[in-house]
Amino acid sequence: MDQVGLVKRQFGHRARLALSPAQAAVLDGQAHTARTAWNLLHEWWQLCRRDQRTLAAADAVIRQARKEMDWLGQLPAQAAQAVLKTYFQAWKNCWEGRAEAPEFKARFRTPLALDIPQGRDLQVVRVHRRWGMVNIPKLGRVKFRWTKDLPVGRRADKDNRITGARLVKDALGWHIAFRISVLEPAPAPHTGPEVGIDAGITIPLALSDGTDFHHEPWLTEKEQARLLELERRAAHQKSCRTPGEPTSRRLQHTYDQIAGLRAKAKRRHLDWQHQTTTTIAKTYGTVVVEQLPITNMVKSAKGTVDHPGTGVAQKSGLNRVIHAEAWGRTTGFLEYKTRRHGGSLHKVPAPGTSQRCHACKTITPGSRESQATFVCKNEACGWSGNADTNAARNVLADYRAGHALAPAAGRCSRQTRKRAKPPTAR
């Protein structure tokens, strides 16, 4: 906290860049150069002795390589330093058990990205209501879509400013992700009501007060038909390819079209999640969700050769739907948005919330008649209603009964720490 009643908030904002084909080609080349610099640094790390793996030695290697290799010169010097710092931070995260060891970045499996670590190099200005201009090193002034008021011009100072940016390319083109630091008033405690949330498939989010949040399919019928056609075309083109033969341009073009449709669906999903979680965070002071073991929920039912599973196709379809809903991402959005609005997020154990009647607190076989209906078979109760609403009320009741889980921020599982062990000692 810098001043009384003020807190510093750091966040990111992503905007779409308006690039010409020539400008996009320049950024593609710079991003591939940054990826290659990472791979060269990774090879140098593996060849060096332990006592030579220092930041100063790696910096000297990068500087010497930029002098000897002309193609490394197209990468801005600050971007090359960002690659170096990111690589060393990746090893630090590995040693501390937060991530796996850094690996070689393949050309076709690695998203293209490029860092602009210094905010003063960006020189962001607003042109008019819908567009802004940003300076990209070795590329010049580029327009980007203005969808959020940024601390630029007279609004920018040492406490409210853009500290850097990262250029990222996905199936929809190049985007710029600004890193922003602002000083704003500390949020007052939220006085809104408590609410429990049940995440499901039929109803994406059901609240304990009876409110439901639904969404339409992320792709229209025409887009879904187009996606199916492209997937069939890709399968046919792949079947005609000789094993070991490089991917043809036609097949790669089909893959790009498929990726574009899927990226469009993901963008719509993210927009719905942001709007929904913002509404919940503004309305309720205490939000309670289930601690869902999603990794266990989406395990395959294939089984083994000796003990094959049953209902494999049905379980695969269910797993795809669970992945598509992205419950974990929704919880992550709720966590930081409730904190920003002065509220709090709590998690309770998931077992029993869907089978237990919230009215009589008993579990009777056959109460869950269908995916959407819950009818309590306890003769003394007989409550009936929406199954997801019943589960949401159980979630809230468990929190009020003191069953909330302790926050586990910054921790990782034993399996993750074991997998993240570096190949060589520090």
Side-chain angles (χ1 to χ4, degrees), residues 41-180:
L41 191 60
H42 185 57
E43 185 177 359
W44 169 84
W45 177 278
Q46 293 177 326
L47 293 175
C48 282
R49 300 194 307 267
R50 296 180 185 177
D51 57 343
Q52 295 179 341
R53 297 171 179 173
T54 62
L55 187 61
D59 181 58
V61 170
I62 290 290
R63 293 178 183 273
Q64 185 65 25
R66 288 176 58 85
K67 294 179 181 179
E68 297 178 355
M69 302 178 185
D70 296 336
W71 55 270
L72 274 177
Q74 67 176 325
L75 183 66
Q78 294 289 346
Q81 292 297 318
V83 173
L84 175 61
K85 293 180 181 178
T86 304
Y87 184 80
F88 270 74
Q89 183 63 40
W91 273 116
K92 184 178 179 180
N93 295 338
C94 171
W95 290 328
E96 296 177 357
R98 295 194 299 267
E100 297 182 3
E103 296 180 350
F104 179 86
K105 291 188 175 182
R107 179 181 180 88
F108 294 106
R109 294 193 301 271
T110 304
L112 295 182
L114 188 66
D115 272 315
I116 305 177
Q118 300 294 336
R120 61 173 179 269
D121 296 336
L122 297 172
Q123 302 175 13
V124 180
V125 295
R126 186 172 187 175
V127 179
H128 52 76
R129 184 170 65 88
R130 294 187 176 181
W131 293 97
M133 296 287 289
V134 60
N135 183 69
I136 297 179
K138 294 202 173 186
L139 186 63
R141 304 294 289 173
V142 176
K143 289 200 309 179
F144 68 92
R145 189 70 172 176
W146 191 281
T147 56
K148 184 181 182 64
D149 289 335
L150 303 176
V152 298
R154 296 181 178 179
R155 299 180 57 190
D157 52 37
K158 64 178 183 178
D159 295 323
N160 302 275
R161 59 193 177 93
I162 297 175
T163 59
R166 182 174 177 84
L167 304 175
V168 183
K169 185 179 182 182
D170 59 14
L172 300 177
W174 278 97
H175 297 74
I176 182 168
F178 295 103
R179 292 189 289 270
I180 305 170

Side-chain angles (χ1 to χ4, degrees), residues 108 241 244-253 255:
F108 294 106
R241 186 182 61 172
E245 182 184 359
T247 304
S248 64
R249 291 188 177 182
R250 288 185 178 181
L251 179 56
Q252 189 61 48
H253 179 63
Y255 284 155

Side-chain angles (χ1 to χ4, degrees), residues 150-340:
L150 303 176
V152 298
R154 296 181 178 179
R155 299 180 57 190
D157 52 37
K158 64 178 183 178
D159 295 323
N160 302 275
R161 59 193 177 93
I162 297 175
T163 59
R166 182 174 177 84
L167 304 175
V168 183
K169 185 179 182 182
D170 59 14
L172 300 177
W174 278 97
H175 297 74
I176 182 168
F178 295 103
R179 292 189 289 270
I180 305 170
S181 176
V182 297
L183 196 64
E184 61 184 16
H190 202 301
T191 58
E194 299 175 338
V195 68
I197 299 180
D198 176 71
I201 297 174
T202 305
I203 300 178
L205 291 179
L207 276 57
S208 57
D209 59 1
T211 306
D212 297 335
F213 289 95
H214 299 265
H215 61 73
E216 298 296 329
W218 306 124
L219 295 177
T220 64
E221 293 183 2
K222 186 176 181 180
E223 290 170 339
Q224 292 178 11
R226 176 61 176 169
L227 178 60
L228 180 60
E229 177 188 354
L230 290 172
E231 290 175 341
R232 289 174 175 173
R233 182 187 303 175
H236 175 71
Q237 292 173 343
K238 186 176 180 180
S239 65
C240 297
R241 186 182 61 172
T242 304
E245 182 184 359
T247 304
S248 64
R249 291 188 177 182
R250 288 185 178 181
L251 179 56
Q252 189 61 48
H253 179 63
T254 305
Y255 284 155
D256 292 341
Q257 290 178 296
I258 293 174
L261 284 173
R262 291 177 176 171
K264 183 180 294 186
K266 182 179 179 180
R267 183 177 61 181
R268 293 170 181 170
H269 191 185
L270 281 170
D271 180 67
W272 179 85
Q273 285 182 308
H274 275 295
Q275 293 191 32
T276 303
T277 53
T278 299
T279 301
I280 294 174
K282 288 181 177 179
T283 307
Y284 302 97
T286 301
V287 180
V288 188
V289 298
E290 295 175 296
Q291 180 67 45
L292 294 172
I294 300 179
T295 303
N296 297 332
M297 294 172 63
V298 296
K299 284 186 177 180
S300 174
K302 186 182 299 183
T304 62
V305 177
D306 298 331
H307 303 282
T310 59
V312 178
Q314 293 83 351
K315 186 62 169 64
S316 299
L318 177 62
N319 292 347
R320 285 194 296 269
V321 174
I322 293 176
H323 279 301
E325 288 299 330
W327 296 332
R329 189 167 60 201
T330 301
T331 302
F333 288 169
L334 282 172
E335 187 170 3
Y336 80 84
K337 289 184 180 183
T338 52
R339 184 170 60 249
R340 181 184 175 188

